[in-house]
Amino acid sequence: MTFYEQVGGRAFFERLVDAFYEGVWTDELLRPMYPQDDYDGAKERLTGFLEQYWGGPGTYSQERGHPRLRMRHAPFPIGPEARDRWLHHMRAAVDVAGPPPLLREELLDYLDRAAHAMVNRNPAFRADPPATL
Ligand code: HEM
């Protein structure tokens, strides 16, 4: 059985992503990054990616191509604070979606690593020194 089947299929990922975006939509740092007029589309893309990643249907890549998530996130300024807020909303959403305990650890571990991999700005490590230096 795939992870996708064990958590109960698409309904699980829909619960997860619904709860996640409810949090994101109240977050003044994250919300402006998301397409303001395409709430349903953003939900559909994340749901499709996650169900595909965990062994469900490959609809996401049929519609969007290879995920290339770091590249797709490059336009958004994701520093440590945005990462931590994203993870905060995602962890709360995992509690709402309620996977079985062993799968919960696996899912949280993945989300943590994926979120850390998505960081593309870090004010503590600027590549461009200030002009005065
Ligand atoms: C770390 C903080 C993160 C921030 C601030 C962030 C932000 C965003 C934003 C603003 C979008 C555009 C919304 C849209 O139109 O779909 C997006 C898309 C997306 N994000 Fe993230 N994201 C983060 C981490 C992640 C992680 C860890 C994953 C995967 C586990 C992920 C998966 C996706 C996917 C699948 C899309 C849609 C890509 C596409 O097909 O265009 N994101 N994200």
Side-chain angles (χ1 to χ4, degrees):
M1 270 237 273
T2 61
F3 181 101
Y4 178 80
E5 288 164 335
Q6 290 180 71
V7 293
R10 182 167 176 100
F12 171 82
F13 293 94
E14 285 178 345
R15 286 202 303 282
L16 179 71
V17 170
D18 277 353
F20 170 69
Y21 273 110
E22 270 187 38
V24 164
W25 247 241
T26 66
D27 190 305
E28 71 275 14
L29 180 70
L30 297 183
R31 185 179 173 137
M33 295 188 205
Y34 284 84
Q36 305 299 301
D37 55 353
D38 193 19
Y39 186 65
D40 291 342
K43 284 209 299 202
E44 183 54 39
R45 287 184 283 278
L46 184 56
T47 306
F49 170 79
L50 289 173
E51 68 173 357
Q52 171 175 299
Y53 178 87
W54 291 102
T59 319
Y60 172 83
S61 280
Q62 282 157 25
E63 289 175 358
R64 305 286 294 164
H66 189 285
R68 297 185 201 288
L69 285 188
R70 278 212 24 110
M71 189 195 77
R72 288 194 209 262
H73 285 78
F76 313 121
I78 307 179
E81 191 184 354
R83 173 200 66 202
D84 288 348
R85 288 189 184 210
W86 189 98
L87 269 173
H88 165 79
H89 298 302
M90 199 42 111
R91 290 197 187 107
V94 169
D95 286 342
V96 172
L102 284 175
L103 301 180
R104 179 174 188 276
E105 289 314 306
E106 193 179 347
L107 180 58
L108 287 173
D109 187 54
Y110 162 78
L111 292 167
D112 196 82
R113 281 182 289 112
H116 279 75
M118 224 53 77
V119 171
N120 54 27
R121 318 277 150 104
N122 191 331
F125 299 99
R126 357 182 355 147
D128 51 327
T132 49
L133 286 184

